[in-house]
Amino acid sequence: MIQFSNYDIISNLLFATQWTILLSLAAFVGGTSVALALTAARLTRNSLVQKCVHLYVELFQGTPLLMQMFLCFFGLSMLGYEISAWSAAILSLTLFTSAFLVEIWRGCIDTLPKGQWEASRCLGLSFLQTLRFIILPQAIRVALAPTVGFSVQVVKGTALASIIGFVELTKVGTMLNNATFEPFKVFALVALIYFALCYPLSLYSKHLEKKFHVSR
Amino acid sequence: MLHFSDLFQYTDVFLSGLLTTVELTLLTTILGIALGTCCAAIRQYGHTVSQRLVAVYVELIRNTPFIVQLFFIFFGLPAIGLKLTPWQASMIALTINLGAYSTEIIRAGLSSIPKGQIEAAKVLGMNFRQTLTRVIFTPAFEKIYPALTSQCIIVMLGSAVISQISVEDLTYAANLVQSRNFRAFESYLVTALLYLVLAIALRFIFNQIGKRLFAYREVR
């Protein structure tokens, strides 16, 4: 029987934290890229494309992240596509993140007055030029705070990857709990580490919100 | 190949799971919003110390994953002598979770009420209770109603996690069915769609309730 000292518990949890961070980063990068593509598609003003994006958002915002993970992990492998827990987690978190980011960014672009599009058209700017020089510089300032705020949800979402067996912070927490029978201590520490990851992001998001609100 | 016909014999398993999810959602929505309203009132009008305490509660819950909160309540609390059934534990965890989010949302509504209106109510001779219900809470809730209801739906979707402490909710039903007939993709797909239908239905019901609650706005 191996004894776990407090030092062992904490060092194991911190070791697992890097997988949580890595998974969050991968999901966030994946989610942003997909959301960028979808936002661009939505801006083309093609009603069929817009409807598809809307359906995508509705589908992934209206179903639990856990179900999406199960479908990616158990479902796809039942259909004959072998997929590891790591890739299933990244795939489902990417879908989840992008669905929310598209909706957040839509709000940000829609807050810009319609007159700006029309003025750009009058000045002879093409669609891409309008986007590059007029819309994006303003939209990014508005979008930054809620996007950073949403990254907190991504970090918290990675905790669900423990259920499909990916070894990250929560999974190591349950494993340590099974080994030490000290759930109070272990899960309090796990929660504390998540808090240490998420709270700076929350604060930064609040800071950005204030900063851009003042300058507008 | 997909075989949805294998799922038909498990209809009652899915239905009882759905019922548990709906039941928990309704209960936690009511309790969570009540908790959030109290905490928001404290955060807005309370004593400095109690304001700080509420802030700590809100930030702690908002910055940790729900599953860790659930595990802490279900596995952690019995270690200090508070034994809970899975149903009670998930009930408490969901309420605490929704409570923290709704505190932030309701507080935003409360701070949008201009001080002058409260003073005006006093001048007009309204008593404390009338001021609270008619001047502060009703307009505040009207402003934040959409945000509050979508948070309730997010919590409903998040409740899928409680199957992990063996509460027999919709996700538990999906796991049970796929372990019996090995039709994982079909079982999870149907469950995901059931959640989607539930989310859409909830949004519709909330909209209807909103129309009733804030009907005084309409011209009669």
Side-chain angles (χ1 to χ4, degrees):
Chain A
M1 169 92 187
I2 308 165
Q3 288 294 323
F4 281 87
S5 65
N6 283 343
Y7 172 77
D8 290 329
I9 292 178
I10 292 173
S11 65
N12 272 309
L13 286 179
L14 286 180
F15 181 75
T17 307
Q18 52 181 324
W19 285 103
T20 291
I21 296 173
L22 212 61
L23 184 58
S24 313
L25 281 178
F28 195 70
V29 170
T32 345
S33 335
V34 175
L36 266 179
L38 288 177
T39 306
R42 213 186 57 86
L43 280 174
T44 55
R45 312 259 169 223
N46 178 328
S47 70
L48 183 70
V49 174
Q50 285 187 344
K51 264 187 198 138
C52 287
V53 175
H54 182 74
L55 190 72
Y56 178 87
V57 170
E58 195 76 353
L59 217 57
F60 288 103
Q61 284 197 358
T63 54
L65 175 58
L66 185 60
M67 270 307 125
Q68 295 162 23
M69 256 181 209
F70 280 170
L71 272 174
C72 287
F73 186 59
F74 299 112
L76 285 184
S77 51
M78 280 285 167
L79 288 183
Y81 306 97
E82 273 311 319
I83 188 166
S84 67
W86 163 249
S87 352
I90 290 186
L91 180 62
S92 52
L93 280 166
T94 297
L95 295 171
F96 170 80
T97 310
S98 60
F100 276 88
L101 284 181
V102 166
E103 199 60 10
I104 291 173
W105 293 348
R106 184 178 76 98
C108 295
I109 291 176
D110 286 353
T111 53
L112 301 178
K114 213 182 161 198
Q116 298 209 357
W117 286 93
E118 292 162 1
S120 317
R121 183 52 52 81
C122 290
L123 290 170
L125 294 177
S126 71
F127 174 74
L128 280 180
Q129 282 173 326
T130 312
L131 215 57
R132 163 78 183 77
F133 295 108
I134 312 293
I135 302 300
L136 280 187
Q138 302 180 77
I140 285 174
R141 289 161 60 89
V142 187
L144 211 51
T147 306
V148 172
F150 185 74
S151 67
V152 175
Q153 305 294 330
V154 179
V155 177
K156 293 196 296 178
T158 61
L160 293 187
S162 65
I163 298 177
I164 58 169
F166 179 67
V167 182
E168 40 67 79
L169 188 49
T170 309
K171 182 75 185 171
V172 169
T174 45
M175 284 152 89
L176 281 172
N177 172 34
N178 292 339
T180 60
F181 302 111
E182 286 185 293
F184 191 83
K185 190 179 9 180
V186 170
F187 286 118
L189 282 171
V190 170
L192 218 61
I193 294 176
Y194 273 111
F195 186 77
L197 288 177
C198 294
Y199 192 54
L201 286 173
S202 297
L203 283 182
Y204 185 53
S205 161
K206 239 179 223 168
H207 166 75
L208 285 174
E209 209 170 291
K210 265 190 201 141
K211 190 172 144 196
F212 288 131
H213 203 70
V214 169
S215 68
R216 276 224 284 166
Chain B
M1 270 293 110
L2 297 175
H3 294 275
F4 288 102
S5 52
D6 292 355
L7 297 178
F8 282 126
Q9 52 177 313
Y10 296 106
T11 312
D12 45 342
V13 178
F14 280 115
L15 277 182
S16 84
L18 190 69
L19 205 67
T20 309
T21 297
V22 170
E23 202 177 69
L24 267 171
T25 305
L26 289 182
L27 263 172
T28 46
T29 299
I30 294 166
L31 292 177
I33 291 178
L35 180 66
T37 310
C38 295
C39 289
I42 293 172
R43 189 94 168 77
Q44 190 72 11
Y45 307 114
H47 194 262
T48 323
V49 179
S50 47
Q51 277 187 351
R52 286 269 165 77
L53 280 177
V54 171
V56 169
Y57 155 65
V58 169
E59 291 305 330
L60 264 182
I61 297 299
R62 273 165 37 111
N63 288 297
T64 51
F66 174 67
I67 185 171
V68 176
Q69 295 160 15
L70 184 72
F71 282 176
F72 183 77
I73 289 172
F74 185 63
F75 297 117
L77 290 188
I80 56 167
L82 194 62
K83 269 210 161 63
L84 297 164
T85 65
W87 200 88
Q88 289 165 338
S90 47
M91 175 79 211
I92 292 171
L94 284 167
T95 304
I96 288 177
N97 192 276
L98 180 60
Y101 281 93
S102 54
T103 299
E104 263 318 86
I105 296 171
I106 296 168
R107 191 174 72 98
L110 289 181
S111 59
S112 75
I113 303 294
K115 229 182 172 177
Q117 292 200 0
I118 301 170
E119 290 162 2
K122 203 176 260 175
V123 172
L124 288 172
M126 292 174 100
N127 63 27
F128 178 70
R129 233 181 94 187
Q130 284 173 324
T131 315
L132 207 62
T133 54
R134 295 188 191 173
V135 181
I136 300 177
F137 275 115
T138 313
F141 266 97
E142 190 183 0
K143 269 183 198 132
I144 49 100
Y145 191 73
L148 194 61
T149 51
S150 43
Q151 189 60 46
C152 293
I153 292 172
I154 289 175
V155 168
M156 183 276 284
L157 295 176
S159 78
V161 173
I162 62 175
S163 60
Q164 291 306 304
I165 58 168
S166 73
V167 176
E168 296 176 2
D169 74 333
L170 191 50
T171 307
Y172 184 90
N175 281 330
L176 187 76
V177 169
Q178 75 95 18
S179 67
R180 293 252 180 93
N181 64 9
F182 303 108
R183 295 264 169 234
F185 193 82
E186 292 88 333
S187 161
Y188 290 133
L189 194 67
V190 166
T191 311
L193 289 179
L194 282 174
Y195 272 109
L196 187 64
V197 169
L198 200 56
I200 291 171
L202 268 180
R203 199 184 307 157
F204 177 77
I205 294 169
F206 279 134
N207 281 344
Q208 293 301 315
I209 295 175
K211 269 185 197 159
R212 282 279 165 81
L213 277 182
F214 308 115
Y216 69 94
R217 282 269 169 188
E218 279 161 33
V219 184
R220 262 170 279 187

